[in-house]
Amino acid sequence: MIKAESEAKILANGWGICHWMEELPDPNWRSIDEIKDRLCVMNALLYVAFGAPIPKIGKWLKTQGKLEALTPNEILLLKRSQRTSLSVFDRNYLKQYLESVWALLWVLECIDELSVQEACANNMNDFLPKILEDEDNNKIDQLTHTRLPGEFYELLDYYYRVHWYCVDQTKLGKKTGFPDENRMAQRRKALHWVYDKELNWDKMRIAL
């Protein structure tokens, strides 16, 4: 039924359906603490992406007890940046966390909607600690609820199907008429990571 509802919404927007797609497997949910730790780390690394001093961000993560929440790839990136300046590739990689952070804010009920057609809002920082102003992680630590399973499943299924439609359109050389593919990919990565605790953040393929 959810699959049919997702496809109906997709067609109502004038997009298309990938008929080969199956239903999502059963969920294997992550704990809220894991979700909050990932949100905290990605928020901190966004500061790095936009030029904040890496030692300051590292010290903040250590003070908040979040160093263990960094993935192996994130640790390597930070260590490499201590020897040489952060590369353009690394900065762009971290900047993609914007959309994943926005998706996790939806998961944690900080925002009401996660529209496939709208980029993350300008007020995103209102929900997150302002690290350069020496705020602690209380804004994230105090969060206590996640979306209900049914609501989460409906949105993930919709993103799953819209994303693959976007991938197909890009392969056909089309550039307009559908949501931004990278936005869909980064949000869907975060949503799918929450949905299946066996997934490894560093090793997740974008087109899951």
Side-chain angles (χ1 to χ4, degrees):
M1 183 177 69
I2 290 175
K3 175 178 179 291
E5 290 175 354
S6 293
E7 291 178 342
K9 287 194 293 185
I10 290 169
L11 292 174
N13 279 306
W15 305 328
I17 296 169
C18 300
H19 293 285
W20 53 267
M21 294 180 68
E22 300 178 356
E23 294 184 3
L24 292 169
D26 291 336
N28 187 18
W29 303 106
R30 287 187 189 273
S31 70
I32 188 172
D33 287 338
E34 287 180 277
I35 299 168
K36 292 195 294 185
D37 282 351
R38 179 98 298 257
L39 178 61
C40 170
V41 163
M42 288 197 296
N43 176 53
L45 292 178
L46 278 170
Y47 277 86
V48 172
F50 288 99
I54 293 173
K56 181 176 179 66
I57 302 305
K59 181 180 179 181
W60 185 88
L61 285 168
K62 183 178 181 179
T63 301
Q64 305 305 316
K66 301 301 181 183
L67 288 178
E68 292 185 359
L70 290 162
T71 71
N73 281 1
E74 290 166 347
I75 292 170
L76 286 174
L77 185 152
L78 291 176
K79 286 182 176 178
R80 186 168 63 244
S81 67
Q82 291 175 351
R83 297 190 299 270
T84 60
S85 60
L86 205 63
S87 70
V88 172
F89 176 85
D90 286 340
R91 288 190 188 279
N92 288 338
Y93 173 78
L94 293 179
K95 285 177 182 179
Q96 293 184 99
Y97 280 9
L98 277 168
E99 295 294 350
S100 295
V101 164
W102 193 238
L104 292 187
L105 287 172
W106 179 84
V107 173
L108 292 163
E109 298 188 326
C110 295
I111 60 173
D112 294 330
E113 290 188 55
L114 194 65
S115 170
V116 299
Q117 299 191 71
E118 295 180 5
C120 51
N122 293 330
N123 69 335
M124 187 171 78
N125 285 337
D126 293 347
F127 306 103
L128 300 164
K130 296 178 175 61
I131 297 175
L132 295 183
E133 297 177 18
D134 295 320
E135 285 188 3
D136 60 22
N137 197 51
N138 187 56
K139 286 180 180 176
I140 295 176
D141 288 340
Q142 69 182 355
L143 300 174
T144 57
H145 295 89
T146 60
R147 296 285 170 179
L148 294 174
E151 184 181 13
F152 187 103
Y153 188 98
E154 287 178 10
L155 188 79
L156 176 58
D157 186 81
Y158 183 56
Y159 262 81
Y160 167 56
R161 298 180 192 286
V162 175
H163 179 214
W164 270 110
Y165 171 69
C166 296
V167 171
D168 276 1
Q169 295 303 293
T170 300
K171 287 180 179 178
L172 292 172
K174 297 182 179 179
K175 298 181 179 181
T176 60
F178 53 94
D180 181 81
E181 183 187 340
N182 187 62
R183 178 195 308 149
M184 300 300 299
Q186 300 306 323
R187 290 183 184 178
R188 202 182 136 222
K189 178 180 180 178
L191 294 173
H192 226 119
W193 179 85
V194 171
Y195 189 77
D196 185 354
K197 65 183 179 183
E198 297 302 319
L199 291 173
N200 182 306
W201 182 269
D202 284 342
K203 296 180 179 180
M204 288 177 69
R205 294 179 294 112
I206 294 299
L208 296 165

